[in-house]
């Protein structure tokens, strides 16, 4: 370990202070929301910004969990996230690796064409017609296939793959391995930070699936959680831009319920990151180059 | 397999080489058969789900009606584009969009990098991991929530900030209705919401920096800051460049929700952008063709910017996207 | 590791293809949404009539498979209902996608917000939907459609859907009665009264807590307070007949008067100063918190504020004022009288016989039995009759399983039973529905289409209303307003006026 010089320690201190302050700013509003979900509507109104509720109440969660729909849609979303992410990562890695190798002819053209799709797209109607023609309507596949490989994510992974020194692959080739084996046995284990990153991106994407579900899935049994949760929240403030007086008979849920909904929609996916963090450690490369 | 062959394959176009070319391609396919096989599913995906629906951009040259479809809708050529470019608002929208992009690029782009570097320097694993998790919480708050929190803090009717200002003897400031505050507020909100999330990519890239280089720098007596400058930053340079190029391609793209929620009668002159303009004249009125035309315009500008940025990057010796 | 390289290659290539292939077969393995048999016979001999429907969902979740309301409806009408409940917030997109792909149910609900959307009007003009006008007289209940509402939903003078009735107006001022009592004031009856009450609420500490922390009105970014004051002052609701021709509210003299009134409220701090930023919930919270003494909106909004109001203000009492006397008498802001219409697409209802089956079902929903089943449920189980009025028996069950779903299926309400209630506030709200509707001033332009409005209306409106708001906040003067009105006229307002008037005079003949 290094000698901790004074200037180094000072440096540490400054960093810790800045970063902690920033974390606090990020955290406070969320604490407000969590606190708000565990209190009563009246307390929320009275105090405005609540950090520690003085009146503790589970009324919001009781309302939310009073229907079996929530649990079911949570199940759908979890299934979608797990299965979807695994499929996404496989296909993305398969495509990204060859594109990262300089000796693959035509890769520049392919990359240009992929980049093009990031900038130009046909819009909602053609995509809807395509999904319909493929017979995917009302199936969970309509939520997985159209987003199978994200162009942005693909480019990120390709960039990560490019960081690996050529020597690794060359020595593996000398040992007689083919490209697929190199990818699976050598490149992937060394690229865990990259794989962890794109897994997180895909997982969050699936977790947030909303508009596609509304368009492609008519069967409410298959609704992912965001459809249900947004219905609860948007019922009261209306659509963004909605200008009509709310339809009669619509009694919007309390503010506390809205907050509870946000907590339920957010906390599970927040818990994914700590699991992936162990893959973000330094020095994974050490030792492999020398071997 | 050297780079020369690849370059050759792109340049070979004359007739006398065509014979050589087709056999060259065949040879490539065989030599790198694994590579090409691996790419098949992904490429098929892009063709089916990205290129097949691209016919949708055609509707910007029609007066498209969903029921009539492409074949039934009337062709109007450049009518919508003319309408866009001759609209008195066009330059204002362009300027507002561009300004927000510049603010974003100047402040919001670099914040995640700085944050990631700082996190990277933390010695305590526990502190590092917990802070990482905390700072990406705002990413999951929708813009409705972010703007709502902004309102709670900044309103003249009992907002926290204004209460503090009054207590210190000042006059309450109408932040959200002011033109001058719009861009700073917008940028601060963007940073709050997305900076933490943005650190993820950089942290992953930082994990790939060879530890031995740090050792060497320390041996040479480099201070912490010097180490960052000479080892860390160069290590993630290609990641930064790629993200920068992609960001530039998004020049005219903004988060509609975000702007729409912050837009009001008092700040419209600086806050109105293409996306909110399209909303009023586009989807809500069923004007598909016009909104698609605007989208096409934005895409073309984005394409030009990306190509230029990529070229520039390569000129400076970087990898670029392609 | 020395295997036959060729074999391994072929194996891996096959795997890759199989992987892709299996995903593609997933495409065909899922069945597309099974459309129920269209236009089966009237449901007598060969089993119940299958009806598919798409409507908006206004609750967090759609009805369960065994929902008693739906079952009862099916039983009574001998139908099998297949209802697609679409989240209301995304309805427009779903509607567009369905029309674009001709993926339409037998009965399609089009919400009032979508009604004049070019997607719909073009679909109507392209013959997507049945013209119901010639058939309506054959059905005893359908022909009772309110003519005012019918005008509002017509396309080119023809009726293409059955209206989902709503009250023409539910508008009222919800006011703190206890504050009025504390200050010895009467309920306001004129515009001047409104000003005086607002002033007193702001200056004279009506909640008697020794602090000057209250004000008169709470408004929100859509400026409902302004809209109501405008109509009470005799101004138009959107558009009005001015000497036989329609003209916009912007050009009416009362518009500027109402603006000046709002400006006065703002300057003297009789209204929440940040109303331009505030959404509906926050507007209601201001009232419920005890900061504002008057809330202008729908009378039944009290339901959303009552709980919080009483919990935070033990002495709070509310009163409702829905009649304000102005230069043109007592008027109320009127809506369209409907929340959408039920249309019948030709692609899924192919023959006239099928159409008649659909109309028969729709007629039932408007019949005495039908509408009351949908509104109140089953007599004896969920409600009981009390002197010709319906009293809900189990209000929790009613709310959970019935209310919103039934409301979504209702059409005409001519035969609905009135509500029986012992709660004075609820009774007052019911009375206001009738009362405000009787003096409702509606927006005549709702009956017409304007091409220019579809193209430019949105941005024109935004520009001129921005100047209006800036005027109210004191940022611009009257000259700027007059210039803005000119811009509106020249920028397309005159064309819009022309287009509306062409249809208006044609309709009057």
């Amino acid at each position: 370990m290094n000698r901790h010089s004074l200037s180094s320690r000072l440096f540490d201190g400054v960093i810790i202070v800045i970063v902690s302050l920033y974390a606090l700013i990020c955290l406070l509003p969320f604490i407000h929301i969590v606190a708000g979900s565990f209190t009563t509507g009246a307390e929320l109104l009275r105090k405005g910004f609540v950090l520690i509720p003085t009146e503790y109440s589970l009324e919001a969660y009781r309302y939310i969990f009073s229907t079996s729909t929530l649990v079911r849609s949570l199940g759908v979303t979890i299934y979608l996230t797990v299965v979807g992410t695994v499929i996404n990562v496989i296909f993305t890695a398969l495509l990204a690796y060859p594109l990262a190798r300089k000796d693959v002819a035509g890769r520049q053209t392919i990359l240009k064409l992929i980049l093009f799709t990031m900038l130009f797209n046909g819009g909602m109607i053609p995509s809807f017609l395509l999904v319909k023609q493929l017979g995917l309507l009302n199936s969970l596949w309509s939520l997985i296939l159209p987003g199978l490989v994200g162009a942005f994510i693909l480019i990120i992974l390709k960039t990560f793959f490019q960081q690996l020194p050529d020597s690794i692959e060359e020595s593996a080739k000398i040992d007689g391995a083919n490209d697929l084996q190199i990818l699976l046995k050598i490149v992937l284990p060394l690229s865990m930070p990259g794989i962890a990153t794109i897994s997180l991106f895909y997982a969050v994407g699936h977790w947030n699936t909303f508009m596609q579900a509304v368009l492609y899935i008519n069967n409410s049994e298959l609704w992912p959680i965001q459809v249900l949760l947004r219905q609860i929240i948007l019922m009261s403030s209306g659509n963004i831009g909605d200008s009509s007086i709310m339809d009669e008979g619509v009694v919007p849920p309390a503010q506390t319920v809205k907050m509870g909904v946000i907590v339920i929609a957010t906390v599970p996916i927040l818990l994914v990151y700590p699991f992936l963090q162990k893959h973000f450690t330094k020095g994974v490369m050490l030792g492999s180059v020398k071997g | 397999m050297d780079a020369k062959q690849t370059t050759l394959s792109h340049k070979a176009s004359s007739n006398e080489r065509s014979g050589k070319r087709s056999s060259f391609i065949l040879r490539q396919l065989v030599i790198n058969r694994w590579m090409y096989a691996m790419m098949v599913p992904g490429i098929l995906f892009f063709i089916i789900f990205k290129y097949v629906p691209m016919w949708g951009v055609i509707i910007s040259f029609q007066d498209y009606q969903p029921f009539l479809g492409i074949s039934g809708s009337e062709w109007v050529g450049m009518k919508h584009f003319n309408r866009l470019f001759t609209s008195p608002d066009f330059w204002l929208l362009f300027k507002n969009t561009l300004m927000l992009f510049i603010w974003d690029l100047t402040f919001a782009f670099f914040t995640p990098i700085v944050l990631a570097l700082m996190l990277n320097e933390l010695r305590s694993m526990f502190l590092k991991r917990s802070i990482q998790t905390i700072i990406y919480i705002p990413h999951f708050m929708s813009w409705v929530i972010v703007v709502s929190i902004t309102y709670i803090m900044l309103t003249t009717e009992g907002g926290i900030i204004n209460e503090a200002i009054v207590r210190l003897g000042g006059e309450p400031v109408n932040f959200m209705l002011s033109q001058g505050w719009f861009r700073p507020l917008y940028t601060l909100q963007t940073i709050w919401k997305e900076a933490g999330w943005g650190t993820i990519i950089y942290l992953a890239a930082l994990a790939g920096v060879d530890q031995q280089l740090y050792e060497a720098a320390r041996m040479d007596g480099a201070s912490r800051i010097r180490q960052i400058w000479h080892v860390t930053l160069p290590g993630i340079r290609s990641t930064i460049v790629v993200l920068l190029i992609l960001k530039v391609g998004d020049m005219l793209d903004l988060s509609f929700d975000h702007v729409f929620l912050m837009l009001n009668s008092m700040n419209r002159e600086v806050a109105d952008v293409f996306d909110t303009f399209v909303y009023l004249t586009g989807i809500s009125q069923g004007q598909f063709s016009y909104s698609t035309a605007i989208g096409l315009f934005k895409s073309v500008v984005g394409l030009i910017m990306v190509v230029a940025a990529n070229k520039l990057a390569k000129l400076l010796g970087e990898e670029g996207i392609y | 590791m020395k295997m036959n390289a060729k074999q391994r290659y072929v194996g891996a290539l096959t795997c890759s293809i199989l992987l892709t292939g299996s995903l593609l077969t997933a495409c065909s393995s899922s069945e597309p949404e099974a459309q129920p048999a269209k236009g089966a016979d009237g449901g007598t001999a060969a089993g119940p009539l299958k009806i598919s429907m798409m409507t908006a969902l206004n609750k967090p979740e759609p009805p369960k498979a065994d929902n008693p309301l739906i079952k009862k409806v099916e039983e009574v009408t001998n139908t099998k209902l297949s209802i697609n409940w679409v989240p209301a917030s995304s309805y427009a997109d779903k509607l567009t996608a369905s029309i674009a792909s001709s993926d339409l149910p037998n009965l399609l609900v089009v919400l009032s917000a979508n009604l004049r959307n070019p997607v719909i009007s073009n679909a109507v003009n392209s013959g997507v939907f049945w013209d119901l006008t010639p058939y309506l007289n054959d059905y005893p209940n359908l022909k009772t459609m309110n003519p005012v509402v019918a005008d509002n939903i017509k396309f080119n003078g023809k009726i293409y859907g059955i209206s989902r009735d709503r009250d023409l107006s539910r508008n009222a001022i919800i006011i703190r009665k206890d504050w009025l009592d504390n200050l010895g004031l009467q309920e306001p009856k004129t515009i001047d009264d409104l000003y005086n009450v607002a002033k007193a609420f702001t200056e004279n500490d009506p909640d008697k807590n020794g602090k000057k922390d209250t004000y008169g009105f709470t408004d929100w970014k859509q400026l409902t307070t302004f809209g109501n004051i405008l109509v009470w002052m005799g101004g138009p609701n959107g558009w009005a007949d001015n000497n036989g021709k329609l003209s916009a509210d912007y050009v009416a003299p009362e518009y500027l008067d109402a603006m000046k009134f709002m400006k006065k409220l703002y300057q003297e701090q009789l209204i929440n100063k940040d109303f331009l930023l505030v959404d509906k919930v926050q507007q209601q919270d201001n009232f419920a918190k005890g900061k504002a003494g008057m809330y202008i909106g729908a009378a039944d909004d009290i339901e959303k504020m009552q709980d919080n109001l009483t919990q935070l203000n033990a002495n709070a009492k509310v009163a409702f004022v829905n009649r304000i006397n102005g230069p043109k008498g007592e008027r109320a802001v009127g809506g369209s009288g409907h929340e959408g219409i039920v249309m019948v697409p030709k692609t899924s209802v192919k023959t006239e016989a099928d159409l008649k089956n659909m109309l028969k079902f729709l007629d039932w929903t408007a019949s005495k039995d039908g509408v009351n089943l949908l509104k109140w449920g089953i007599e004896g189980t969920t409600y009981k009759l009390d002197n010709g009025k319906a009293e809900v028996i189990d209000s929790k069950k009613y709310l959970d399983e019935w209310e919103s779903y039934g409301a979504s299926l209702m059409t005409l309400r001519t035969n609905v039973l009135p509500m029986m209630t012992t709660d004075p506030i609820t009774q007052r709200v019911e009375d206001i529905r009738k009362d405000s509707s009787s003096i409702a001033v509606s927006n005549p332009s709702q009956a017409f289409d304007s091409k220019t409005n579809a193209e430019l209306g949105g941005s024109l409106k935004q520009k001129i209303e921005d100047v209006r708001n800036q005027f109210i906040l004191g940022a611009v003067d009257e000259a700027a307003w007059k210039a803005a009105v000119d811009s509106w006229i020249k920028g397309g307002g005159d064309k819009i006026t022309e287009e509306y008037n062409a249809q208006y005079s044609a309709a009057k003949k």
Side-chain angles (χ1 to χ4, degrees), chain A residues 247, chain C residues 110-116 145 148-154 162-168 335-342 411-412 446-447:
Chain A
D247 198 12
Chain C
V110 174
L111 299 179
S112 59
N114 316 127
L115 193 59
R116 298 295 169 194
M145 196 188 299
V148 174
V149 177
D151 275 344
N152 283 340
I153 63 172
K154 280 184 186 158
I162 307 297
S163 132
R164 302 187 334 151
D165 281 347
R166 294 288 184 271
D167 301 299
L168 271 174
S336 54
H338 67 82
E339 183 20 279
I341 62 178
V342 185
T411 53
L412 304 179
Q446 280 171 358

Side-chain angles (χ1 to χ4, degrees), chain C residues 135-147 363 412 414:
Chain C
Y135 302 94
L136 291 179
N137 265 328
D138 300 336
Y139 295 88
N141 298 299
L142 291 182
K143 68 181 184 192
T144 64
M145 196 188 299
N146 182 331
D363 186 67
L412 304 179
T414 4

Side-chain angles (χ1 to χ4, degrees), chain A:
Chain A
M1 256 324 242
N2 309 310
R3 224 173 23 98
H4 294 294
S5 68
L6 180 61
S7 71
S8 185
R9 267 202 281 239
L10 197 60
F11 187 75
D12 278 337
V14 169
I15 300 259
I16 291 183
V17 165
I18 298 179
V19 163
S20 305
L21 267 176
Y22 185 76
L24 196 63
I25 300 178
C26 291
L27 194 56
L28 277 177
F30 188 65
I31 296 184
H32 162 65
I33 292 178
V34 174
S37 70
F38 282 107
T39 183
T40 62
E43 157 121 3
L44 206 52
L45 254 193
R46 188 182 345 187
K47 284 173 86 187
F49 196 78
V50 177
L51 282 177
I52 303 175
T54 47
E55 271 177 55
Y56 182 72
S57 157
L58 283 177
E59 65 179 31
Y61 290 101
R62 235 177 276 133
Y63 174 90
I64 296 174
F65 284 104
S66 64
T67 73
S68 61
T69 319
L70 186 93
V71 178
R72 189 175 56 224
S73 57
L74 255 177
V76 169
T77 299
I78 292 177
Y79 172 82
L80 186 64
T81 305
V82 171
V83 173
T85 304
V86 168
I87 296 180
N88 289 136
V89 171
I90 293 176
F91 280 81
T92 308
L94 284 178
L95 184 56
Y97 179 61
L99 292 176
R101 308 301 307 148
K102 291 194 186 54
D103 51 346
V104 173
R107 76 179 189 123
Q108 275 192 313
T109 316
I110 297 176
L111 275 168
K112 285 189 215 179
L113 290 173
I114 291 178
L115 186 60
F116 191 78
T117 70
M118 274 181 79
L119 295 164
F120 292 84
N121 76 72
M124 174 187 82
I125 294 181
S127 301
F128 182 83
L129 290 175
L130 177 69
V131 169
K132 179 170 182 229
Q133 272 160 3
L134 290 174
L136 293 176
L137 280 185
N138 243 357
S139 143
L140 283 182
W141 288 109
S142 70
L143 302 179
I144 297 181
L145 290 183
L148 193 64
V149 178
F152 174 79
I153 300 182
L154 176 78
I155 292 177
I156 298 290
L157 189 61
K158 174 200 86 112
T159 309
F160 281 143
F161 282 158
Q162 276 174 314
Q163 317 280 43
L164 298 173
D166 296 336
S167 47
I168 297 186
E169 278 136 3
E170 275 158 18
S171 50
K173 278 232 164 87
I174 293 174
D175 284 345
N178 63 46
D179 294 309
L180 186 60
Q181 285 168 328
I182 295 179
L183 173 64
L184 292 177
K185 296 208 160 97
I186 300 177
V187 173
L188 282 185
L190 287 178
S191 307
M192 284 319 281
I195 298 291
T197 304
I198 69 164
S199 304
L200 184 63
F201 287 168
Y202 279 127
V204 170
H206 285 302
W207 188 262
N208 286 337
T209 304
F210 166 68
M211 200 62 212
Q212 285 171 300
V214 171
L215 283 180
Y216 299 145
I217 297 191
N218 291 334
N219 181 1
S220 58
E221 308 253 317
L222 287 179
W223 277 359
I225 191 136
Q226 292 291 343
V227 177
L228 181 65
L229 298 180
R230 289 211 196 185
Q231 181 72 343
I232 293 183
I233 294 188
L234 289 178
M235 260 167 64
S236 23
S237 41
N239 216 356
I240 292 185
D242 180 54
S243 59
S244 51
I245 294 184
M246 210 179 342
D247 198 12
E248 58 167 55
V250 176
V251 182
Q255 190 78 341
T256 52
V257 169
K258 282 198 277 184
M259 292 178 153
V261 157
I262 295 173
V263 172
I264 296 177
T266 313
V267 167
I269 199 68
L270 276 183
L271 297 177
V272 171
Y273 190 49
F275 282 106
L276 293 173
Q277 273 176 333
K278 60 180 174 182
H279 296 296
F280 284 74
T281 47
K282 303 183 224 197
V284 181
M285 286 268 287
L286 257 188
S288 59
V289 183
K290 307 207 175 132

Side-chain angles (χ1 to χ4, degrees), chain C residues 83-114:
Chain C
I83 306 178
N84 184 5
W85 298 90
V86 176
S89 54
S90 316
Y91 204 76
D93 284 327
K94 184 77 180 185
L95 203 56
T96 306
S98 303
I99 291 183
S101 60
S102 294
D103 187 15
L104 297 166
N106 302 129
L107 295 176
L108 180 69
V109 169
V110 174
L111 299 179
S112 59
N114 316 127

Side-chain angles (χ1 to χ4, degrees), chain B residues 27-321:
Chain B
R27 233 189 320 138
Q28 281 298 311
L29 280 176
V30 167
I31 294 175
N32 274 330
R33 56 191 182 276
W34 287 103
M35 298 294 209
Y36 290 106
M38 290 198 285
M39 292 202 284
V40 162
I43 293 181
L44 267 177
F45 161 76
F46 275 99
I47 295 177
I48 297 178
F49 285 96
K50 298 288 174 190
Y51 276 98
V52 166
M54 237 186 239
W55 57 263
V57 297
I58 296 181
I59 75 179
S60 52
F61 299 101
Q62 290 185 316
D63 262 343
Y64 178 75
Q65 282 308 323
F67 182 69
L68 298 173
I70 294 265
S71 42
S73 299
E74 192 193 328
W75 288 92
V76 297
M78 298 292 287
K79 166 176 153 193
H80 298 293
F81 294 97
N82 283 335
R83 186 176 155 202
L84 173 66
F85 295 132
T86 56
S87 158
D89 304 311
F90 177 75
W91 285 110
L92 183 70
L93 296 173
F94 194 86
K95 173 172 159 233
N96 286 343
T97 313
L98 195 61
M99 285 304 292
L100 283 177
F101 170 73
I102 292 177
W103 274 76
D104 197 308
L105 195 61
T106 315
F107 300 105
F109 181 77
F110 294 100
T111 312
I113 302 178
V114 171
L115 266 177
L117 289 174
M118 286 202 271
L119 285 172
N120 197 43
E121 293 297 316
L122 287 177
R123 291 188 206 280
S124 155
M125 211 27 115
F126 168 75
L127 200 58
K128 183 175 175 193
R129 287 202 185 162
S130 35
I131 294 200
Q132 269 179 42
T133 311
I134 292 176
I135 62 175
Y136 96 143
I137 289 179
H139 173 77
F140 295 94
M141 309 278 111
S142 70
W143 282 115
V144 175
I145 300 173
V146 176
V147 175
S148 167
I149 293 175
T150 310
Y151 169 78
I152 293 178
M153 293 201 321
L154 295 181
T155 177
T156 45
E157 303 278 315
I160 303 177
I161 304 280
N162 271 316
E163 295 283 291
I165 292 181
V166 166
R167 210 164 302 188
L168 290 173
E171 282 291 313
V173 179
N174 218 330
F175 295 98
M176 292 182 76
L177 290 175
S178 110
Q179 287 194 3
W181 277 100
F182 174 73
R183 289 180 188 138
L185 266 182
Y186 180 89
T187 310
L188 280 172
Q189 289 168 327
T190 306
I191 292 178
W192 182 81
K193 186 172 186 296
E194 301 296 357
W197 181 254
T199 61
I200 296 179
I201 297 184
Y202 294 113
L203 287 171
L206 285 168
V209 176
D210 192 348
Q211 289 295 82
Q212 293 182 309
L213 294 173
Y214 285 113
E215 275 297 328
R218 271 192 287 269
M219 289 299 144
D220 286 346
S223 68
R224 298 285 289 277
I225 297 193
R226 298 229 112 220
Q227 287 173 42
I228 295 180
W229 186 258
H230 287 286
V231 178
T232 321
L233 274 181
I236 58 171
R237 197 173 60 212
S238 39
T239 310
I240 297 180
V241 168
V242 165
L243 288 175
L244 194 53
I245 298 177
L246 288 174
K247 177 136 202 83
V248 162
D250 270 348
M251 191 172 88
L252 294 183
D253 255 328
L254 295 166
S255 161
F256 167 76
D257 286 3
H258 187 187
V259 182
F260 189 82
L261 288 166
M262 289 293 288
L263 197 51
N264 55 57
S265 296
M266 308 304 287
N267 65 15
R268 182 118 26 211
E269 256 187 62
V270 293
D272 212 2
V273 294
F274 285 116
D275 291 324
T276 48
F277 180 72
V278 162
Y279 175 78
L280 261 194
T281 57
I283 304 295
S284 69
Q285 303 288 336
Q287 303 264 306
F288 293 103
S289 290
Y290 192 41
S291 51
T292 309
I294 298 183
L296 189 58
F297 162 70
K298 288 201 294 172
S299 299
V300 168
V301 172
L303 181 66
I304 297 175
M305 295 302 295
V306 166
V307 169
N310 204 61
K311 250 200 181 68
L312 185 63
K314 290 207 149 162
L315 272 176
L316 293 175
E318 293 297 333
E319 279 279 346
I321 297 189

